[in-house]
C-alpha cells in the first residue's frame, strides 16, 4: 500500500487551514504512476489521452471520466480529482455547427467526489465540494472554493445570453 500524504496539504497551509486534508491509504496496485509523479487509477476513463496533460503530482481517483477526445484538457500540478468526477470541455453552438473549448485547471485544486466540471478555466488554489456542477465557456474562471452540492454557472449562461 501507499499513502497519499495530502499533496495539497504542504502548499495550502498558508492559504487556509480549512484546506488541510487527512492522509489517505490506497492500494498501490490500483494506481499507475507516471514519470512526473501523477497517480492515475486503473479504473478511471481517459478518453483521448493524447489530449490530456497532467502537470505533475496529480491524483486521479477511481470512477473519474476525463473527455480529452473532445478538446485539450490541461490539469495543473498537485491536484486531486476525486472519485466519480467527470471533466468535459464546454461546448458552444456556432452558426455553422459548434465547437468544444479546451479546459485549463490550475495548480493545487481539489475536486470533490461526483462533481462535474464543464468550464473553460478554473484558477489555482480552489477547492470544489462534493456533488458540484461547474458549467460555462465564457467568463467561467472559478477562483474561490465551491461548497458541497453547488451549481456554478457563468454569468452569461445564467442570464440566457448564450
Amino acid at each position: 500500500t501507499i499513502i497519499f500524504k495530502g499533496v495539497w496539504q504542504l502548499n495550502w497551509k498558508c492559504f487556509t487551514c480549512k484546506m488541510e486534508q487527512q492522509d489517505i491509504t490506497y492500494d498501490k496496485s490500483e494506481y499507475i504512476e507516471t514519470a512526473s509523479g501523477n497517480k492515475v487509477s486503473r479504473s478511471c476513463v481517459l478518453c483521448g489521452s493524447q489530449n490530456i496533460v497532467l502537470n505533475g503530482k496529480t491524483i486521479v481517483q477511481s470512477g473519474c471520466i476525463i473527455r480529452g477526445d473532445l478538446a485539450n484538457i490541461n490539469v495543473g500540478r498537485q491536484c486531486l480529482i476525486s472519485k466519480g468526477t467527470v471533466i468535459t470541455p464546454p461546448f458552444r453552438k456556432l452558426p455553422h455547427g459548434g465547437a468544444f473549448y479546451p479546459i485549463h485547471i490550475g495548480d493545487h485544486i481539489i475536486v470533490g467526489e461526483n462533481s462535474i466540471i464543464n468550464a473553460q478555466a478554473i484558477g489555482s488554489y480552489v477547492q470544489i465540494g462534493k456533488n458540484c456542477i461547474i458549467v460555462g465557456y465564457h467568463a467561467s474562471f472559478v477562483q474561490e472554493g465551491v461548497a458541497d452540492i453547488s451549481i456554478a454557472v457563468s454569468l452569461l449562461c445564467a442570464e440566457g445570453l448564450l
Side-chain angles (χ1 to χ4, degrees):
T1 62
I2 57 174
I3 298 175
F4 294 147
K5 286 277 186 191
V7 172
W8 56 89
Q9 194 170 12
L10 295 174
N11 296 300
W12 283 16
K13 278 189 177 177
C14 61
F15 183 67
T16 177
C17 293
K18 291 192 288 186
M19 300 299 253
E20 292 185 20
Q21 302 290 325
Q22 295 180 352
D23 295 346
I24 305 169
T25 305
Y26 291 92
D27 181 12
K28 188 172 184 176
S29 65
E30 183 185 336
Y31 286 84
I32 298 169
E33 186 167 356
T34 67
S36 58
N38 298 309
K39 292 173 179 65
V40 181
S41 173
R42 294 180 188 274
S43 63
C44 73
V45 177
L46 303 177
C47 301
S49 58
Q50 70 276 11
N51 296 329
I52 300 171
V53 177
L54 304 175
N55 286 316
K57 297 186 179 179
T58 292
I59 300 168
V60 181
Q61 293 184 336
S62 63
C64 292
I65 300 172
I66 302 178
R67 295 293 309 268
D69 58 333
L70 303 174
N72 292 336
I73 296 176
N74 188 343
V75 180
R77 295 184 51 76
Q78 298 184 340
C79 296
L80 172 64
I81 311 298
S82 296
K83 296 177 182 178
T85 298
V86 177
I87 300 176
T88 59
F91 178 80
R92 181 175 182 192
K93 187 175 179 182
L94 300 173
H96 301 290
F100 287 96
Y101 288 84
I103 296 177
H104 177 76
I105 297 175
D107 299 333
H108 313 290
I109 303 298
I110 299 173
V111 180
E113 293 179 11
N114 302 315
S115 292
I116 299 172
I117 307 295
N118 187 248
Q120 191 171 358
I122 296 176
S124 295
Y125 301 99
V126 174
Q127 180 174 8
I128 297 171
K130 296 179 182 178
N131 304 311
C132 292
I133 301 173
I134 311 294
V135 179
Y137 74 91
H138 187 58
S140 56
F141 200 87
V142 177
Q143 293 179 321
E144 299 175 359
V146 179
D148 291 353
I149 314 174
S150 295
I151 299 176
V153 181
S154 74
L155 181 61
L156 293 176
C157 289
E159 293 178 357
L161 298 176
L162 298 180

